[in-house]
Structure formats: C-alpha cells, structure tokens
Amino acid sequence: MQAFSLGVVDWLVIASYFVIVLGLGFYLKRYTTNQDDYFLAGRRNSAWVAGLAFLSANLGALELLGMTGNTFKYGMYVAHFYWIGAIPAMLFLGIFMMPFYYSSRIKSIPGYLKLRFDEKTRVLNGIAFGVMTLLVSGINLYAMALVLRTFVGWDWNVSMWVSAITVAVYVGMSGLMSAIFTEIIQFFLIWFGLFLVSILGIIEIGSVKEILHRVPESFSTLWSTSGDASQNGMMITWAGIVLGLGFVLSFGYWTTDFLVVQRAFSAKNLRSARMTPVLASFFKMALPFIVILAGLIALVLSRDPGSGFALVQEGGQVNYDSALPLLIARYYPSGLIGLGVTALLAGFMAGQAGNISAFNTVWTYDIYKSVINKTASDAHLLWMGRVATVVGVVISIGTAYWAKSFPSIMDYMQAIFSWVNAPLFATMLLGMFVRWITPNGAFWGLLAGMGSSFFLFLAVKFQWISNSVITLSTSASDMAGNFWRAWWAWFICFALTIVISFFTEKKPESELVGLVKWLTPATDESDVPFMRKPQTWAIISVVVLVALNIYFW
Amino acid sequence: MKSIWFFVGLTLSIMGVLVTIAGILDYISPPERHTTLGSVHPSLWWGVLMVAAGILFLLTEKRRK
C-alpha cells in the first residue's frame, strides 16, 4: 500500500529540510567550544526557546501517528494524555522541582541522585536511562523506516541510514544546541504541516460540533463515562486515569525523564528554567487540536460509506496508525504532501536527536566520568560527547535492525517506560521532599520498583496472572494495564524506600542543603513583576486545563 | 550568533514559497490526482500563510538586532 505520490516540488521541500538542519549543525559548531556548550547549549536559552524545545522533545512523529490512531480506537479519552496526563506534572516540575535541579548546577538527572544519595544510585539510573534511550532511539528509527516504506514507498535501508547519518552529523558537531534548534523547527513544521488536515476535515464535515455529534457518545466525552470501565472506549475508570496516567506515568515522565528536563537545564537563569515547563504546558494543551481532531475526523469518515475512507488492514488487523497518513493523502495536493512528509520526518529525526543528545550527556558524566575516567579534562569530555553521539547512533541503527527481525519488541516499549520512569519518580519525590530518606533506601527501593514493573509486565504477557488482578477491574484494555502497572511500580518503590530508610544510615543534613525542600532557603522573587512570575502563569495554565475538562466533560 | 527565530523564519519562508509555487501550478493546470477539497486550492493559501509567518519571524530577528 502506498498512500503518497511525490512530485518535484514535494522532493524540493524534503530536500530543503535536510539542507537546513545540516547547515544549522555546521553553523552552530563554531559556537560549541566547551562541554557546557555541547551538553547544556551554553546555558543561555530564553524560557521560550527552552519551553518549545521541552515540548518538542516529546513530540515525536510516532506519538502523532499513534495518538491519532488511538483516538480512532478509543475516542476523546486520548486527550487525557495531553491534559491531565501532562499539565499537572509539567507545572509541578516548574514550580516545585526545578529550583533543586537548576540551583544544584547538575548536568543530568542521575547527577542529582549522586548529590542527594550516592554514586551507586546514580550509576543504576544512568545505565537504565542509557539503555532505555538507545532502545527508544532504535525503535523510533525502525518505526520511521516502516512508515516511510508503507506510505511513501521509500527503501527501508536508505531512509534509515540517511536520517541516522544526518542526525549523527548535526548532533555530533554542536550537541544539545543543534538538537534544540531542530526541535523548534520541527515544532513549527508539525503545526504548519499537519494542522491543515484538521482544518480541511472540519470544512468537509461541517463543524467541530458536527464531528462530535457523528461519533459514538462515549467517544466524545472525557469523564462522564469514566465511572464504569465497560462504558468507555478505553475501558478504564477515572481512578486508573488519575492514579496511573495523571499521577505516576505523567509525573514519572515529565519530572524525571532527562530527555525533556535537559531542555530546561539549558535555560539562562532559574526563572527561565522554571518558566520552561510552564510555557510548554500551554502548547501541550493545544496539541489535541491536531491529534484528537484528526482521529475523530478519520472515525467520522470511516463510518460514512459514501466517503470512500477506510483504514489500512494488514493480515486481518486494522492499522490504526494509518489514520493520519491517509488523511494527508486525502486532502493534500502536490507541495503540501511534501510538507506533510517533512513534518513526519522532522518529528522522527528530532526525536532521535533528542534521545542521542540525552544519551551522550548521561554516558559522558554519569558513566564515563563517574566510573571509568574520574579525572577527564574539559576537552576530553567534549571529545567523549562527540564519540558517544556517533556510537549512540550506531547502536540505534543496530537496534532498528534487531526490531526489524523481532517486531514484537514494540510490545515491550510501554514496559520500558514504566520500568525506568515510574519508580524513579517515587525516588525523586522522596529525595526532594523528605530529609530522612537514606542512600540505601533510595537504591534498593528503586531497584525493587524497576524489577516489579518488569515482572508484572512479563506475568501478564505470559498469563501467570490475570490483567484484572493489576487493574482491579474485570474489563480492562492493555492501555489500562499499562497505567496500573506504572502505579504499582511507583507504590512498591515508594513504600520500600521508606521502610529501608528507617533502618539504614542517613546522610548528614549539611550535605543536603540545596537538594531537599526543608533544608533549602526559598527562592527570593520579590523583585520579579507579578506577570513574569512562573506561579502566575502556572495558575493561568490550571484554569485553562480545568475549563477544557469541564467543556468536554 | 543568529537566534533560532531566524532559522524558523528561513525554513517557513523557503517551504512556503515552494508550496505556493505548487499551488499556482495546480491552479493553472489542474493535476490528474484529485484530492478532497482540491477546489479550494489549499496549497495556494496555505503556502502564502507560511511565507507571511516566515517573514514575520525574519522581521522579529531583524528588530532584535
């Protein structure tokens, strides 16, 4: 099946994207002279730049395709990923956690674990994050090649190698700075390349109201059917949404995943770093106007026999990810097709660049300098960062070939996220807000949380236990299982860390100043105008979030 | 060092010009492949919108300097 046919102008649009990102890498190389430039973009970005990069690092093409497809499958419940499943966590990061991260001048999240706890907790998290990042990067590469082969007909090997080498060149030359620049360009390309799908869909169907009217009632609401799991498309209750997605998965990802938090570290001062996730929250709330709308438009069209629209079927299975590409093929003439493909390409490549730039930092500081070469010079670390970039891309390509020969690896993706991020959030929360949590409590609690998440995934997959045991519900989807597994991993880590901390040695409080809430002086913002304070914008963000949830209740 | 807004402006302008050209060509000589709502010529007005946005970003960069 090939949905797109590219003309000369389409190829020119795609080629211009490659020229621009490679040119950016060359241009920024002259401003990348030391390790701070390479790993932290010189710590000179404004809140707007860091905020857009913070959001874009999470805005991969895989997510756009997957969430549009999920909307087709589950309805408006998917908006929970963008609203309650993101905004509270982003605001919590900006208002409560960022002062500890930014003021301690760490270069990575594992770096905080070293200062707050000890070296072994840092290395454990560094290795887990490094493995996760390269797996995600490789699978992202595989997914990109698969999408381009399915919808554009491009050769699998050529699209994978060309994009991987391009990422290696521009990240290798100028590190986080070029990753951030290309992420922001990607943000605009995604809006200009894909929002038109929603606009043309609304024009064809009539109005947003008409779209919501034509889908099943349970597909057009957010909360009103969440009291009973059997009454909504996602087969989940409000408790699963709030505890699993809204609390553990969301906070675990947005407050501890170095891929996104690294963008805030690049801000020029603490106020800008705190504003980074707060500003990003407004753009995050707007994304359903691309993703959810497009998914609902695809659903309405597929329910209308006269529209001639149907999702791709492969081996008797519906390919939900085909919703967005098929809408592009339906509405986009020559020129715009190239823009749509470029938006998807930019999403894939920027996502890969984000993973690689986070990996090179964690490898260089939290594994290489921490364990292998403790006396490495600034110049040597800069060199090591570039080597790690190339090696990271090579391992990603290897992972992509592995995924090609073993496609069920995709099933493990959700497990990888809840394996690393969900328990880490418990460790961070206790570490930042409870002064008597000990290094051994944190290490063994984290290890147990990671292990339990992985065990629960295998136990359900191989039917050692029923999914209903984890989800506390007789009817539950795989998505509900993911949410609840994350909750249990978080809870096990949280409880064990507390229990072990009762019996093990604490760190002296003098070593925890600046790292723990009750031992750190509050940030003085008395000279900051009211409308420039992160708290003001966080409150506005909460008001918008509540209004959206009430409107679509 | 040029700011990111310069590169955003450059990208939108270049791509906007290319999309507009495709729209003009389709307007003069309608393509064989018909798309839904092709009669409203989305390439043409969307391309112009991108160029306008691109110029806005380039002017922002110029004013910043």
Side-chain angles (χ1 to χ4, degrees):
Chain A
M1 182 266 161
Q2 188 182 324
F4 304 150
S5 158
L6 299 179
V8 176
V9 180
D10 300 308
W11 282 107
L12 284 174
V13 171
I14 295 166
S16 68
Y17 173 73
F18 279 90
V19 171
I20 288 166
V21 294
L22 284 172
L24 257 175
F26 279 105
Y27 175 75
L28 294 172
K29 187 172 185 289
R30 74 180 83 161
Y31 302 101
T32 310
T33 55
N34 58 44
Q35 49 170 318
D36 261 10
D37 290 337
Y38 193 81
F39 296 110
L40 291 168
R43 281 198 197 252
R44 53 178 169 246
N45 285 328
S46 67
W48 282 101
V49 172
L52 283 180
F54 180 91
L55 177 69
S56 304
N58 162 261
L59 188 60
L62 202 54
E63 181 194 296
L64 292 168
L65 297 176
M67 290 300 180
T68 307
N70 277 336
T71 305
F72 190 100
K73 195 175 174 184
Y74 299 120
M76 268 205 73
Y77 266 53
V78 177
H80 288 308
F81 282 93
Y82 295 89
W83 294 344
I84 194 169
I87 308 306
M90 292 163 87
L91 301 179
F92 187 81
L93 169 69
I95 302 304
F96 297 107
M97 294 175 77
M98 195 57 75
F100 304 110
Y101 280 151
Y102 194 86
S103 303
S104 55
R105 308 298 288 176
I106 48 168
K107 290 185 168 62
S108 65
I109 296 290
Y112 177 84
L113 294 173
K114 150 80 176 152
L115 295 177
R116 173 61 183 88
F117 300 115
D118 57 10
E119 196 71 275
K120 66 179 182 294
T121 313
R122 170 201 221 175
V123 174
L124 173 68
N125 178 242
I127 291 171
F129 179 81
V131 170
M132 176 182 81
T133 304
L134 291 183
L135 275 175
V136 171
S137 174
I139 292 168
N140 192 53
L141 197 58
Y142 164 71
M144 182 200 71
L146 198 62
V147 167
L148 293 176
R149 193 193 61 183
T150 305
F151 297 107
V152 196
W154 288 357
D155 180 76
W156 202 91
N157 294 303
V158 172
S159 55
M160 200 178 75
W161 280 91
V162 168
S163 63
I165 290 170
T166 306
V167 168
V169 169
Y170 73 73
V171 177
M173 283 192 288
S174 34
L176 183 61
M177 183 66 89
S178 59
I180 284 177
F181 271 44
T182 51
E183 281 161 5
I184 293 174
I185 287 175
Q186 165 223 359
F187 174 84
F188 286 97
L189 284 179
I190 282 174
W191 273 98
F192 277 99
L194 301 178
F195 186 47
L196 186 58
V197 166
S198 299
I199 295 174
L200 293 172
I202 293 168
I203 293 173
E204 184 185 2
I205 295 168
S207 65
V208 175
K209 198 175 169 187
E210 182 64 22
I211 292 169
L212 294 174
H213 179 68
R214 285 210 223 164
V215 296
E217 196 183 339
S218 63
F219 274 51
S220 61
T221 63
L222 277 178
W223 294 102
S224 60
T225 54
S226 66
D228 180 350
S230 63
Q231 296 299 308
N232 60 73
M234 206 177 273
M235 297 173 77
I236 190 166
T237 62
W238 62 268
I241 295 168
V242 173
L243 292 178
L245 177 64
F247 182 54
V248 177
L249 271 179
S250 167
F251 277 71
Y253 177 76
W254 289 103
T255 66
T256 69
D257 195 303
F258 183 53
L259 170 64
V260 287
V261 180
Q262 186 181 26
R263 275 70 196 150
F265 289 179
S266 76
K268 61 187 173 191
N269 54 38
L270 176 58
R271 194 194 69 82
S272 298
R274 296 182 76 194
M275 278 297 281
T276 294
V278 177
L279 280 177
S281 71
F282 290 95
F283 295 106
K284 184 74 180 173
M285 280 190 277
L287 281 174
F289 293 100
I290 295 181
V291 175
I292 308 294
L293 253 180
L296 293 178
I297 288 165
L299 182 60
V300 169
L301 292 176
S302 73
R303 287 161 62 89
D304 175 4
S307 72
F309 184 90
L311 295 193
V312 172
Q313 303 256 354
E314 287 167 337
Q317 298 272 317
V318 177
N319 179 352
Y320 292 100
D321 291 353
S322 65
L324 188 58
L326 289 177
L327 287 174
I328 292 174
R330 180 181 182 84
Y331 293 125
Y332 281 13
S334 172
L336 281 175
I337 283 272
L339 186 65
V341 172
T342 305
L344 293 178
L345 253 177
F348 278 118
M349 287 171 58
Q352 206 199 344
N355 279 305
I356 294 298
S357 60
F359 167 77
N360 66 26
T361 308
V362 168
W363 164 262
T364 304
Y365 287 106
D366 300 305
I367 299 173
Y368 182 75
K369 189 170 190 293
S370 167
V371 179
I372 301 169
N373 185 354
K374 294 185 178 182
T375 57
S377 65
D378 185 296
H380 182 75
L381 291 176
L382 181 58
W383 173 81
M384 178 47 68
R386 291 197 161 116
V387 171
T389 299
V390 175
V391 172
V393 169
V394 170
I395 295 174
S396 299
I397 292 172
T399 308
Y401 276 107
W402 182 37
K404 189 187 177 196
S405 60
F406 180 46
S408 60
I409 191 175
M410 300 286 276
D411 299 342
Y412 292 80
M413 282 297 294
Q414 282 294 337
I416 293 168
F417 275 114
S418 52
W419 173 51
V420 177
N421 287 335
L424 180 61
F425 172 55
T427 309
M428 284 293 187
L429 197 63
L430 290 169
M432 278 185 185
F433 297 97
V434 183
R435 67 173 84 177
W436 47 263
I437 294 298
T438 66
N440 278 322
F443 178 79
W444 293 108
L446 187 59
L447 198 60
M450 288 164 63
S452 63
S453 173
F454 201 59
F455 171 77
L456 287 175
F457 174 79
L458 292 179
V460 171
K461 187 168 179 64
F462 295 109
Q463 298 176 338
W464 303 333
I465 59 172
S466 161
N467 204 21
S468 61
V469 175
I470 296 174
T471 60
L472 310 176
S473 170
T474 48
S475 53
S477 62
D478 289 345
M479 188 80 81
N482 289 331
F483 292 176
W484 279 104
R485 199 174 55 251
W487 159 257
W488 290 120
W490 179 88
F491 181 75
I492 288 167
C493 177
F494 187 83
L496 267 181
T497 302
I498 289 175
V499 170
I500 295 170
S501 291
F502 281 131
F503 305 103
T504 49
E505 191 183 350
K506 297 171 182 57
K507 270 187 119 170
E509 290 197 348
S510 59
E511 292 179 21
L512 302 180
V513 175
L515 301 169
V516 179
K517 167 84 177 161
W518 316 110
L519 301 170
T520 306
T523 316
D524 180 19
E525 289 183 330
S526 53
D527 58 335
V528 179
F530 181 72
M531 288 311 289
R532 289 178 65 83
K533 285 187 178 178
Q535 293 91 327
T536 308
W537 288 99
I539 291 168
I540 296 171
S541 181
V542 168
V543 170
V544 176
L545 174 69
V546 170
L548 284 169
N549 277 274
I550 291 172
Y551 186 78
F552 291 106
W553 187 268
Chain B
M1 187 172 110
K2 290 193 184 300
S3 80
I4 176 61
W5 310 122
F6 170 79
F7 294 101
V8 170
L10 193 68
T11 306
L12 294 181
S13 300
I14 292 171
M15 292 188 181
V17 166
L18 290 170
V19 172
T20 308
I21 290 171
I24 292 169
L25 292 175
D26 280 358
Y27 188 78
I28 295 168
S29 163
E32 284 177 18
R33 186 179 78 94
H34 292 286
T35 53
T36 307
L37 295 174
S39 56
V40 301
H41 302 289
S43 296
L44 198 54
W45 55 267
W46 197 251
V48 171
L49 188 76
M50 284 181 75
V51 173
I55 290 171
L56 210 64
F57 277 109
L58 291 173
L59 288 176
T60 306
E61 169 71 3
K62 197 175 174 188
R63 213 179 65 170
R64 193 183 71 96
K65 280 193 165 179

